[in-house]
Each structure stands twice: as structure tokens, then as C-alpha cells.
DNA sequence: CCAATAAAAGACAAGAAGGTCTTTTATTCA
DNA sequence: TGAATAAAAGACCTTCTTGTCTTTTATTGG
């Protein structure tokens, strides 16, 4: 896959939490619920959400009636923030056939095909936000589960 | 990276062998030489070239004055053949955020951004051949080592 | 204030990707 | 023909990703 499994899990979870927020004002959603709805291993997902929370992409509350939730600001995070945090930005920067550096000065044979697509992808990831994607989910244009 | 390390090694090796062929009529190039020029671990590369040879993307000769070489037909193989063999075609087919299936019927929130780019990449990989890339290398437009 | 709850944290294990080392097999040419 | 050569093959090893299980910490509502 283009994104690591971990990163895909993270994105889907943020989308679900974001979606939940609009459904139920101030509603929190628990780890167990997320992992069941998205069919992601519970404890593994726990770590991922921990990371997201620690880096401010997600909010959490411990204890009774606790769970995960998102603020308005967090909803406005671009997809890129998540990908950069989990997978880094190598995939957007490194040479497609693994040369030490990707440069216009010494482009590799796939450079001119690769770079524009990589950059288009980057742009998309920067302009799409959790919020914009949640909207397309809520309007029924797109889906989060099969 | 978009391609696995193994796959990138494979592509670069094929390019080097292809390039060598045009330089020196009927010339074979040894594993050691390839691994040194491209800075790829020798024994690891050995396995990769074995795979390429077994599947007809590369030719080899054992013994004294043996080595790896490519036929005209092999030079005309598209990049896609290599990628499919080593990495498979998941990256061109699977959903970007890991849904079980990628479909127009139930597209995920990144589907409309992802799919066209994936397909453009696919098209490029199908139209670029070892030969076409070797040509761009030989004309000095592109480079294989930093 | 305390029992239930839920996230945080940490130890550990399986699997895959990447890498190393040694032995075997086929080939050539002196 | 046999010693040198080079790929093929196979046994391991290391690291990273993914996944499991247990313990700790913080919160809250009765
Ligand atoms: S140099 Fe290879 S992609 Fe730019
Ligand atoms: S459904 Fe996700 S990329 Fe097509």
C-alpha cells in the first residue's frame, strides 16, 4: 500500500471520531467501539490513538464516560499532518527507484514521471482535511466501511 | 517508499545491465560489479537477480566469463513487469486507506483523489520500458548513480 | 470515598522485509 | 581434465511492522 497499515488505521479512526462528533454533540467514542466498527485490532489501535493524542491530532478523556473526541481545530487538520506523523514524508520526497537523492540536477529515469504525481498527491493531502472528508462521508458520497 | 527496496534494487540492476549491453556488444556483467556500482548488498542482490532470471526478465550464464545480460526482448519489458513480479500490484489496486475493497460503488473519502493518480502511475509503468529508460540514461538526460 | 470505567503504558510475540554467510552446481579454457 | 570462475541455492540472522496481553493511572458518578 501507499500508506502503511498503521497510517491507514489512524486516518480511518480520525474520520470515524470526526463523524461521531457531528452526530452527537460533545459525544466521545471508546477505543473498543472504534476498533469494532473499523475492524482494527483493539490494542494495536490503542497505541496508534495514543500517538495521535500525544501529538495533538486527537483528544481523549480517561475514566467513566471517557473516550476519544476531536475539537474544531483538530477537525481542520489536513490529511498530510497524519501521514507525516505516522509514515513521515519520505514517500513524497525520496527517489522512486531509491537513489540517494532526488534532484533535478541528476534525475533518475523515472524522475519526470514520478515527481509530478508525487507532488499532486502531496497537494491533495495538504488540502483535504478530516473535516472535508467527514463532510463527504456525511453527505453519503463516500464510505468508511465496506 | 512507493516501491519496496527490493523492487528498486531490481529496477536499477536491470537498467545497469541494459546499459552495459549497448556499451559492449554481448558483454556480460557480474553480480559483484553490479552490487558495487549500485551500492547494493551483494548476496541480497544475488537473490533478486535470481528471481528476475527465473522469471525471464534477465538472462544469466554460469562459470568463467559468465554473468548477467539481457536479450532484445528483455530490454523491451515494461517497468510494470518488474514491479508486478517483485511488489505485486496491490499498490495500484487497493484502497488508499485500507478498506477491504476499492470500488466506485462505495468509494472511500480519498478515492477520488487517489484513483486517478494511481492509474496515471500504472500507465507510466506500462509504457516505460527498460529500453526507453536506458536510452534516456545513455543520452545523458538521466542518471543511475548519484 | 470508592468501585467501575477507560485511556495510558509497557512487555512481549509473530511475521515480513532486508541482509549475511556458506555450500552446490554449471561452465570455460589453459 | 581439472582448476578457476560465477551464478544458484540454502541456511541463518537482524530489523521493522504489526499484533497481543497485562498492568497502571486517571476520572467520575453513585
Ligand atoms: S531522482 Fe529518482 S525520482 Fe527524482
Ligand atoms: S475506496 Fe479507497 S481508494 Fe478507492
Amino acid at each position: 500500500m501507499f500508506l502503511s497499515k498503521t497510517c491507514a488505521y489512524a486516518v480511518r479512526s480520525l474520520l470515524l471520531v470526526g463523524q461521531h462528533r457531528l452526530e452527537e454533540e460533545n459525544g466521545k467514542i471508546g477505543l473498543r467501539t472504534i476498533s469494532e466498527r473499523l475492524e482494527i485490532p483493539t490494542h494495536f489501535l490503542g497505541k496508534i490513538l495514543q500517538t495521535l493524542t500525544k501529538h495533538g491530532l486527537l483528544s481523549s478523556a480517561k475514566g467513566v464516560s471517557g473516550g476519544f473526541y476531536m475539537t474544531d481545530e483538530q477537525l481542520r487538520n489536513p490529511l498530510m499532518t497524519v501521514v507525516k506523523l505516522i509514515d513521515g514524508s519520505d514517500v513524497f520526497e525520496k527517489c522512486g527507484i531509491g537513489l540517494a537523492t532526488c534532484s533535478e540536477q541528476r534525475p533518475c529515469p523515472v524522475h519526470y514521471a514520478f515527481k509530478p504525481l508525487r507532488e499532486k498527491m502531496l497537494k491533495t493531502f495538504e488540502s483535504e482535511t478530516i473535516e472535508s472528508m467527514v463532510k463527504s462521508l456525511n453527505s453519503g458520497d463516500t464510505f468508511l466501511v465496506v
Side-chain angles (χ1 to χ4, degrees), chain A:
Chain A
M1 266 200 297
F2 182 75
L3 301 179
S4 70
K5 239 170 168 178
T6 303
C7 189
Y9 288 166
V11 172
R12 278 158 63 202
S13 300
L14 288 174
L15 291 173
L16 186 65
V17 177
Q19 222 185 350
H20 190 258
R21 169 197 168 80
L22 298 191
E23 276 168 21
E24 202 177 314
E25 200 60 40
N26 276 345
K28 299 186 187 64
I29 181 169
L31 173 61
R32 179 65 43 86
T33 312
I34 303 175
S35 86
E36 276 167 7
R37 291 231 206 131
L38 301 180
E39 301 184 76
I40 302 172
T42 308
H43 298 288
F44 186 48
L45 182 60
K47 311 245 135 156
I48 300 172
L49 299 190
Q50 236 178 79
T51 306
L52 294 177
T53 303
K54 187 159 57 186
H55 290 85
L57 278 81
L58 182 63
S59 303
S60 71
K62 281 186 177 184
V64 179
S65 85
F68 294 95
Y69 63 98
M70 291 177 85
T71 65
D72 280 329
E73 214 195 329
Q74 288 170 333
L75 274 172
R76 284 193 293 271
N77 268 325
L79 180 51
M80 193 60 198
T81 313
V82 190
V83 176
K84 246 187 195 143
L85 176 67
I86 308 286
D87 282 352
S89 40
D90 273 12
V91 78
F92 300 107
E93 290 167 3
K94 297 227 312 191
C95 168
I97 55 168
L99 300 196
T101 58
C102 170
S103 75
E104 300 298 323
Q105 281 71 49
R106 291 181 74 81
C108 75
V110 305
H111 181 88
Y112 296 112
F114 243 79
K115 203 179 169 197
L117 294 176
R118 258 179 6 193
E119 301 210 317
K120 185 85 176 54
M121 190 73 80
L122 182 77
K123 289 248 158 53
T124 305
F125 277 42
E126 273 167 350
S127 66
E128 287 280 351
T129 64
I130 305 296
E131 195 172 35
S132 68
M133 292 190 284
V134 166
K135 277 191 183 132
S136 90
L137 283 171
N138 284 345
S139 70
D141 293 340
T142 62
F143 303 84
L144 200 48
V145 282
V146 190

